[in-house]
Amino acid sequence: MKLALRLVLGSASPRRRELLGRLGLTFEVDPADIDESTREGESPHAYVTRLAEEKARRVAQRHPGAAVLAADTTVELDGRALNKPRDHDESADMLRALRGREHLVHTAIALCLDGKVDTRTVTSRVRFRAFGEATLAGYVLSGEGLDKAGSYGIQDLGMALVSEVHGSYTNVVGLPCAETVELLEQLGVLTAWP
């Protein structure tokens, strides 16, 4: 794929770097450092949309003339956001709450270009199987979920916890690829295939 501008990914996520790289795009990485606290009364959807936009704006200040892509992901259960767990205990609590149930995964992408930000928020529905305590304990001890919203990663060991995905799989990983390419095309950053 051919880019018309220099592209900067404003994220430290190795999963986002891998997905963007698999699209054949050349980009730089410059993670944003912002306060990721939720605001009182803020919905999970609004939360990720705000964070993606803030990240894109922050990184764009350091890269004038570049297109800056940022993203943020959260898991929503019963109207509340399950962000990255603080420790193993909170990880186990999240997984118990998700076990045998359906939840939503929201990922917002934001592209900052010439001081303007365009955002898209993609939602997928995921159902966990009703796994036992031994499976839960083993997964928590693996540590895989400690740096992930909802305390799991669908692309690695966590795939064994998931029974169904409705919507974008790459959204659940952390970067909805079809929507990302569409945004890059619409704003003239991506100009040619392949």
Side-chain angles (χ1 to χ4, degrees), residues 75-80 82 94-106 123-131 152 161-167 172:
V75 167
E76 178 180 348
L77 182 68
D78 299 329
R80 68 184 182 97
L82 302 181
M94 286 185 188
L95 294 171
R96 279 190 193 94
L98 294 168
R99 177 171 51 193
R101 298 188 60 198
E102 185 176 275
H103 59 273
L104 302 175
V105 178
H106 305 291
T123 300
S124 302
R125 288 184 296 125
V126 179
R127 178 173 292 279
F128 270 16
R129 67 184 180 90
F131 48 85
Y152 75 96
L161 308 177
V162 175
S163 61
E164 295 176 48
V165 176
H166 299 277
V172 182

Side-chain angles (χ1 to χ4, degrees), residues 7 20 47 57 64 85 103-104 107 110 116-117 124-125 141 150 160 162-163 170 181-182 184 187:
L7 179 63
L20 208 53
Y47 167 73
R57 286 189 188 284
H103 59 273
L104 302 175
T107 299
K116 297 177 189 164
V117 179
S124 302
R125 288 184 296 125
L141 284 175
V162 175
S163 61
T170 58
V181 167
E182 183 177 58
L184 291 169
L187 297 183

Side-chain angles (χ1 to χ4, degrees), residues 151-163:
S151 193
Y152 75 96
I154 195 170
Q155 70 280 4
D156 294 313
L157 289 174
M159 70 178 75
L161 308 177
V162 175
S163 61

Side-chain angles (χ1 to χ4, degrees), residues 65-125:
V68 175
L69 178 70
D72 199 79
T73 302
T74 196
V75 167
E76 178 180 348
L77 182 68
D78 299 329
R80 68 184 182 97
L82 302 181
N83 298 317
K84 296 173 187 174
R86 290 184 297 270
D87 53 32
H88 283 85
D89 289 338
E90 188 174 29
S91 175
D93 289 345
M94 286 185 188
L95 294 171
R96 279 190 193 94
L98 294 168
R99 177 171 51 193
R101 298 188 60 198
E102 185 176 275
H103 59 273
L104 302 175
V105 178
H106 305 291
T107 299
I109 52 173
L111 186 64
C112 188
L113 186 59
D114 298 326
K116 297 177 189 164
V117 179
D118 200 338
T119 61
R120 307 275 189 283
T121 302
V122 178
T123 300
S124 302
R125 288 184 296 125

Side-chain angles (χ1 to χ4, degrees), residues 1-87:
M1 293 186 187
K2 187 168 173 122
L3 294 170
L5 297 167
R6 187 167 59 98
L7 179 63
V8 178
L9 175 63
S11 175
S13 166
R15 295 159 296 280
R16 290 189 184 113
R17 284 197 308 267
E18 179 186 353
L19 287 170
L20 208 53
R22 287 172 68 184
L23 289 171
L25 297 172
T26 302
F27 58 95
E28 300 165 42
V29 177
D30 184 5
D33 183 20
I34 64 166
D35 178 7
E36 296 191 13
S37 303
T38 55
R39 295 179 178 166
E40 188 163 339
E42 188 173 44
S43 73
H45 187 280
Y47 167 73
V48 293
T49 303
R50 176 179 59 82
L51 286 190
E53 185 174 331
E54 286 180 10
K55 288 176 181 181
R57 286 189 188 284
R58 176 74 52 92
V59 175
Q61 292 172 353
R62 300 191 295 258
H63 298 277
V68 175
L69 178 70
D72 199 79
T73 302
T74 196
V75 167
E76 178 180 348
L77 182 68
D78 299 329
R80 68 184 182 97
L82 302 181
N83 298 317
K84 296 173 187 174
R86 290 184 297 270
D87 53 32

